[in-house]
Amino acid sequence: MKETEAVIEKILAGDSKAFELLVEDHQQLVNHIAYRMIPDADDREDICQDIFMRVFQNLSTFRHGSKLSTWIARIAYNRCIDYVGKRKIVVTADPLDGPAQNISDPASLPDRNLESAGTADLLREEIKALPGHFRTIITLYHLDDMSYADIGEVMTLPEGTVKSYLFRARRLLRERLLAKYTQEELLQ
Amino acid sequence: MNHLGDNEIQEYLDGNLPDRAADMETHLRGCKSCREKVKQYELLYSGLDTDRIPPLQTDFAVKVAAAAGRQLALERRSRLRIILASVAGIICLLASSIYFLNIPRLFDVFRKLSFDNYLDSAFVSKYKGLIAGSGVNVSLVLFVLLAIIAVWIIDYLVRRHSRRPVSFLV
């Protein structure tokens, strides 16, 4: 924590190298959040830059009660939500909230055109089809090793809701993948 | 023991059920369908843990730091101008408040500070005549200015104390 305080003090004193290191340390986290919410690669790069400019502008307001990474992730998530809202990007609805969907019916699923792709690509396609908040939670939990509490702080959700969404997202992914591919195909 | 549910399996794989792990493993040894389900979730977890998201450009951090540096330089240059403008604005605001709102106590304070000569000077009379002739509602202008200052102060305090990262004025 003291190390973080020292870095912040250096940045506030005008040390651009310290800020560059802070960006390097957190760019993967910010990119993960943006990747799951912003489909256009050029826009994504611009948004990531804008997020770090906001971090820079608001660094003096950071309170050391929470982790710096959580604070940065929160700015990134809010900025992406703002972008999605302004561009009116359709966020996939939560399929478990609506009427029951027959997931074993191939007609209710996207085209099965990924047979030659690796398992990672199959999974990525299915993640894309998940509702936005499910995608973010899955990414923060599995790729950025965030706890339920930290994810809740980033997304302003109760810890229990984060856990429930995560479980539903993984259940959906498993069901959708199994409805389209055999276990052997997935293991290839 | 009944078959394991989706949530139970996920809790188990997340390591959230250390007390029940032994019972669940005993069940898994004798139940093929639950074993299959756990295997499928393990496969999914492995895919999620190793998903490779395309990285940002290699010089991203350098570019952002350079942009931040430019902004900082710009801010430093304009800071002096802002301070001078603020001081001038506050002086105008105070002087106008005293003169146009006609608050006797403030007149007294200024008289004690030996500013009374300035209040009656020809320059001030000319200034008063100019504003009166323009038809501007000075009280309204003063009220708006005070309201803006009050909103700015509230915004600053809210940002400072509630850890909101971004101002609601922006």
Side-chain angles (χ1 to χ4, degrees):
Chain A
M1 191 62 90
K2 284 201 170 171
E3 201 180 310
T4 308
E5 276 178 42
V7 170
I8 291 173
E9 270 175 33
K10 276 185 184 174
I11 296 170
L12 293 176
D15 184 343
S16 66
K17 194 71 196 165
F19 184 61
E20 192 181 315
L21 290 175
L22 180 138
V23 175
E24 269 174 16
D25 286 348
H26 296 89
Q27 68 181 45
Q28 185 174 289
L29 168 67
V30 168
N31 184 40
H32 286 170
I33 294 171
Y35 179 82
R36 295 294 191 212
M37 295 173 80
I38 299 167
D40 185 89
D42 290 336
D43 281 1
R44 193 159 59 239
E45 189 102 9
D46 289 347
I47 295 288
C48 286
Q49 182 160 340
D50 186 50
I51 289 164
F52 279 110
M53 291 308 286
R54 285 180 186 215
V55 167
F56 181 72
Q57 286 160 358
N58 292 286
L59 208 52
S60 59
T61 65
F62 171 69
R63 297 283 176 277
H64 297 277
S66 67
K67 289 181 201 158
L68 182 63
S69 57
T70 309
W71 183 74
I72 292 174
R74 193 170 156 212
I75 293 177
Y77 180 71
N78 287 340
R79 180 66 186 91
C80 291
I81 287 280
D82 186 40
Y83 170 90
V84 168
K86 278 183 184 158
R87 295 292 175 101
K88 294 190 171 57
I89 292 171
V90 178
V91 177
T92 318
D94 182 349
L96 295 179
D97 284 344
Q101 187 189 15
N102 181 7
I103 58 153
S104 61
D105 174 12
S108 69
L109 295 161
D111 289 342
R112 184 176 168 160
N113 57 359
L114 299 161
E115 283 170 357
S116 60
T119 312
D121 293 331
L122 304 178
L123 181 59
R124 203 167 295 138
E125 284 302 314
E126 290 307 328
I127 293 172
K128 269 187 200 168
L130 287 176
H133 50 297
F134 283 15
R135 292 198 298 264
T136 304
I137 289 173
I138 279 218
T139 307
L140 293 177
Y141 186 84
H142 282 280
L143 289 183
D144 298 299
D145 293 325
M146 277 197 173
S147 64
Y148 302 138
D150 286 344
I151 297 172
E153 204 178 322
V154 170
M155 300 176 75
T156 335
L157 289 173
E159 212 176 307
T161 309
V162 171
K163 191 174 169 181
S164 156
Y165 283 173
L166 177 67
F167 281 27
R168 284 158 76 178
R170 289 192 294 219
R171 200 179 105 199
L172 265 177
L173 283 174
R174 175 186 159 269
E175 288 173 348
R176 284 179 173 179
L177 284 166
L178 284 175
K180 292 166 83 178
Y181 309 97
T182 63
Q183 195 164 311
E184 286 68 36
E185 278 178 306
L186 293 171
L187 282 167
Q188 277 172 7
Chain B
M1 190 179 187
N2 292 330
H3 286 303
L4 302 176
D6 287 87
N7 286 2
E8 234 174 340
I9 291 174
Q10 292 188 54
E11 291 271 27
Y12 167 69
L13 292 176
D14 282 338
N16 295 340
L17 299 174
D19 299 342
R20 292 185 50 209
D23 287 346
M24 290 174 80
E25 279 155 18
T26 308
H27 173 80
L28 285 170
R29 274 194 289 276
C31 180
K32 195 184 170 194
S33 77
C34 285
R35 239 182 2 251
E36 279 289 297
K37 211 170 176 181
V38 168
K39 206 167 149 187
Q40 288 157 5
Y41 269 112
E42 279 174 339
L43 181 65
L44 177 65
Y45 274 48
S46 146
L48 292 172
D49 288 340
T50 54
D51 190 14
R52 288 185 63 81
I53 287 176
L56 293 164
Q57 287 177 7
T58 45
D59 60 345
F60 177 79
V62 178
K63 274 190 198 166
V64 174
R70 281 195 298 275
Q71 189 184 319
L72 195 67
L74 208 68
E75 276 174 13
R76 276 181 183 159
R77 273 202 297 274
S78 62
R79 196 169 296 157
L80 184 66
R81 266 180 265 165
I82 291 170
I83 291 168
L84 288 174
S86 303
V87 170
I90 289 165
I91 290 169
C92 287
L93 197 67
L94 279 174
S96 306
S97 307
I98 294 160
Y99 200 78
F100 289 100
L101 299 179
N102 196 17
I103 303 166
R105 278 191 184 173
L106 280 175
F107 268 113
D108 291 343
V109 170
F110 266 68
R111 283 202 179 94
K112 276 177 191 162
L113 291 168
S114 306
F115 282 120
D116 51 337
N117 293 336
Y118 295 101
L119 290 171
D120 290 329
S121 73
F123 173 76
V124 174
S125 300
K126 192 179 166 187
Y127 167 62
K128 185 184 174 186
L130 210 67
I131 291 177
S134 68
V136 174
N137 186 340
V138 178
S139 301
L140 185 67
V141 171
L142 288 175
F143 177 76
V144 170
L145 282 173
L146 287 170
I148 290 169
I149 291 168
V151 168
W152 182 82
I153 290 169
I154 292 165
D155 177 60
Y156 175 78
L157 292 173
V158 168
R159 267 190 296 148
R160 203 175 164 79
H161 295 290
S162 71
R163 287 170 42 205
R164 280 181 74 255
V166 180
S167 164
F168 61 74
L169 290 176
V170 181

